[in-house]
């Protein structure tokens, strides 16, 4: 008779099949370890961390002769009315020289509250690849050894380290100075990627206060946080209290106010510009950071209501009443309008048309078009991957040096 244990032993062939099954099961990754976006064809590529460093800008080169017109942290899909941001943003000319005005060359604009509009995608872009998910070292040789998403830290200049004084986010201000005798000071509030932006800001800024706010991935977090007007009003009050405490002055006030955003950060600015306190904004900087949903994706008709505050501000800037800088990449996001499409639509509302340009800019960005009218400036670039998206943060150094410092005339700070 067989031993009881031997009676329960499976035949040899079944033992082999059991071993193969176990080996397959162990080799297969669990569902939690698989790419969450693999089964979501409409999901945008995962962006680089917002806290990573911004690109360090090499010395810009002279603009070449104009050519014919041509054509993140990107957030994950935002709520219904606020699509997620895609990767990409264009650099600014260091010289700041205005291009020939294209007023009148574009399609006549509709009113800000008009029906949804259609924006044609340039034929030259239809065959371009979409954004990639690689965060590896940059492939463009002229970027050198610098990854635009992880640039070296230039130091802090005249500024102290980050302070948690504001009601939301963090702020830096000069160790001393930066405030007028009457207590006036200037402030730039940046949304999304505050540490990366800081590295570019301190290269040329030497007096204005910088407030950095990061609320996570996707424009929806920014939009919902600032949807209530009191949130932004409390933020401004807390900044003034922090400056008063730092300087020892009994009375201080915000003299010039600027808003900037990279990638998903535009969601906050859209809400702020609709509010009463938004009328205080003097400068607006959008670094590859303006998207919109489609009313009809097949026809590429934009949800114009989402762009109304930006169009209104662009008209003010074109008239010289404010300052606005926009940049865009050539990234094609899935299911919502790219920064190139929204930039083209804004220029269209100004009755303008960008002109072609050929210029090498910071961190491997290649300019392909530009538009200038009054104090409104658009810069468009090639680039369809995340390093290109990160590289747009490098534009802030020149935005401050060429435009905001001369415009604001901020009192200089010192260590």
């Amino acid at each position: 008779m067989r031993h009881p244990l031997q009676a329960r032993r499976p035949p040899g062939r079944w033992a082999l099949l059991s071993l193969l099954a176990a080996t397959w099961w162990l080799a297969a990754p669990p569902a939690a370890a698989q790419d969450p976006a693999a089964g979501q064809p409409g999901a945008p590529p995962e962006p680089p961390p917002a806290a990573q460093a911004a690109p360090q800008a090499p010395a810009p080169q002279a603009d070449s002769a104009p050519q014919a017109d041509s054509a993140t942290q990107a957030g994950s899909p935002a709520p219904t009315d606020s699509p997620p941001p895609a990767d990409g943003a264009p650099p600014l000319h260091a010289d700041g020289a205005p291009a020939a005005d294209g007023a009148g060359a574009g399609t006549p604009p509709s009113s800000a509250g008009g029906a949804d509009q259609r924006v044609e995608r340039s034929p030259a872009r239809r065959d371009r690849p979409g954004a990639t998910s690689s965060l590896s070292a940059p492939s463009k040789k002229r970027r050198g050894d610098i990854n635009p998403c992880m640039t070296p830290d230039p130091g802090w200049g005249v500024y102290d380290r980050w302070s948690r004084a504001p009601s939301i986010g963090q702020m830096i201000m000069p160790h001393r100075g930066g405030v007028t005798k009457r207590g006036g000071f200037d402030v730039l509030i940046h949304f999304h990627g505050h540490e990366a932006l800081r590295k570019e800001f301190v290269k040329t800024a030497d007096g204005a206060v910088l407030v950095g706010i990061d609320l996570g991935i996707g424009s929806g977090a920014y939009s919902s946080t600032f949807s209530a007007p009191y949130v932004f009003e409390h933020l401004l009050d807390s900044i003034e209290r922090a400056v008063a405490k730092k300087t020892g002055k009994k009375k201080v006030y915000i003299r010039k106010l600027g808003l900037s955003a990279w990638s998903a950060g535009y969601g906050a600015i859209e809400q702020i510009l609709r509010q009463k306190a938004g009328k205080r904004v003097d400068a607006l900087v959008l670094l590859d950071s303006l998207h919109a949903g489609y009313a009809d994706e097949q026809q590429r008709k934009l949800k114009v209501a989402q762009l109304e505050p930006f169009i209104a501000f662009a008209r003010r800037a074109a008239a010289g009443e404010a300052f606005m800088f926009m940049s865009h990449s050539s990234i094609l996001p899935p299911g919502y309008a790219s920064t190139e499409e929204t930039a083209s639509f804004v220029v269209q509302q100004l009755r303008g048309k960008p002109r072609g340009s050929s210029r090498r800019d910071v961190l491997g960005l290649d300019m392909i078009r530009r538009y200038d009218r009054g104090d409104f400036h658009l810069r468009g670039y090639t680039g369809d991957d995340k390093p290109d998206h990160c590289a747009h943060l490098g534009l802030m150094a020149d935005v401050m040096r060429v435009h905001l410092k001369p415009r604001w005339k901020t009192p200089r700070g010192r260590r």
Side-chain angles (χ1 to χ4, degrees):
M1 294 181 62
R2 290 184 179 179
H3 189 279
L5 292 179
Q6 292 178 331
R8 290 193 293 270
R9 187 174 300 167
R13 64 176 182 274
W14 294 112
L16 178 59
L17 291 176
S18 298
L19 178 60
L20 291 175
T23 302
W24 174 87
W25 183 84
L26 290 173
Q34 296 175 356
D35 185 358
Q40 303 175 20
E46 185 179 357
Q52 288 179 341
Q56 185 166 356
Q61 303 175 11
D63 209 1
S64 62
Q67 300 175 344
D69 286 344
S70 60
T72 8
Q73 290 187 55
S76 55
T80 305
D81 291 334
S82 187
D87 297 3
L92 171 69
H93 283 293
D95 56 32
D101 197 338
T107 304
S110 62
S111 63
D116 293 329
Q117 300 292 313
R118 176 178 179 178
V119 175
E120 290 289 346
R121 189 187 300 277
S122 168
R125 292 192 61 221
R126 289 195 177 108
D127 296 330
R128 295 179 189 171
T132 68
S133 59
S134 173
L135 286 180
S136 58
S139 59
K140 296 180 181 178
K141 292 183 179 180
R142 56 193 175 82
R143 282 177 173 159
D145 296 327
I146 299 176
N147 186 327
C149 298
M150 296 181 182
T151 56
D153 194 330
W156 295 78
V158 302
Y159 290 87
D160 288 338
R161 302 302 190 265
W162 289 111
S163 163
R164 293 283 185 178
S167 58
I168 300 178
Q170 306 176 64
M171 65 179 279
I172 60 172
M173 63 177 297
H175 184 64
R176 291 182 294 173
V179 181
T180 66
K181 293 182 179 179
R182 303 180 68 177
F185 67 95
D186 304 331
V187 59
L188 178 70
I189 303 177
H190 178 78
F191 301 94
H192 210 62
H194 73 283
E195 176 60 11
L197 193 284
R198 188 273 303 174
K199 293 182 180 182
E200 298 304 317
F201 179 84
V202 299
K203 290 178 181 178
T204 53
D206 55 11
V209 173
L210 172 66
V211 176
I213 298 175
D214 278 281
L215 299 176
I217 295 175
S219 61
Y222 292 92
S223 180
S224 60
T225 298
F226 285 89
S227 60
Y230 73 86
V231 175
F232 186 61
E233 294 170 357
H234 286 182
L235 173 60
L236 298 182
D237 291 342
S238 69
I239 295 171
E240 290 180 338
R241 289 194 300 270
V243 173
K245 182 178 180 179
K246 171 74 173 178
T247 60
K249 293 181 177 290
K250 293 184 178 180
K251 184 178 180 180
V252 298
Y253 64 95
I254 295 175
R255 191 183 65 157
K256 295 292 184 180
L257 174 62
L259 303 179
S260 68
W262 174 64
S263 197
Y266 75 94
I269 295 180
E270 178 188 348
Q271 297 299 320
I272 292 170
L273 292 181
R274 297 181 187 275
Q275 300 165 7
K276 181 179 179 180
K279 299 184 182 301
R280 300 177 58 180
V281 178
D282 176 71
L284 182 59
V285 181
L286 299 172
L287 304 175
D288 200 24
S289 182
L290 181 58
H291 295 270
Y294 287 125
D296 187 330
E297 186 174 355
Q298 295 299 322
Q299 297 296 319
R300 311 205 76 79
K301 291 182 179 179
L302 303 180
K303 291 184 177 179
V304 178
Q306 296 175 352
L307 300 176
E308 288 175 357
F310 301 99
I311 294 171
F313 199 94
R315 286 174 175 154
R316 288 183 55 205
E321 301 171 0
F323 168 79
M324 183 172 178
F325 171 78
M326 295 182 70
S327 68
H328 74 72
S329 65
S330 294
I331 292 172
L332 305 179
Y336 54 94
S338 67
T339 52
E340 179 179 350
E341 288 175 287
T342 57
S344 296
F345 186 77
V346 171
V347 171
Q348 179 182 327
Q349 304 311 297
L350 299 179
R351 296 181 181 271
K353 183 178 182 180
R355 70 176 177 87
S357 180
S358 178
R359 175 188 174 90
R360 288 186 171 186
D361 260 306
V362 297
L363 295 168
L365 292 176
D366 295 306
M367 184 182 295
I368 54 176
R369 65 177 190 163
R370 60 185 292 175
Y371 178 77
D372 303 88
R373 182 173 180 180
D375 287 323
F376 174 86
H377 307 281
L378 166 70
R379 301 291 182 264
Y381 298 82
T382 62
D384 57 15
D385 60 11
K386 289 181 180 177
D388 290 319
H389 187 41
C390 294
H392 291 259
L393 284 161
L395 298 173
M396 182 52 73
D398 274 355
V399 170
M400 288 298 304
R401 180 180 63 84
V402 177
H403 294 289
L404 293 187
K405 286 181 66 175
R407 180 181 180 85
W408 288 354
K409 296 180 173 57
T410 305
R412 295 192 64 177
R414 57 192 185 279
R415 291 298 301 172

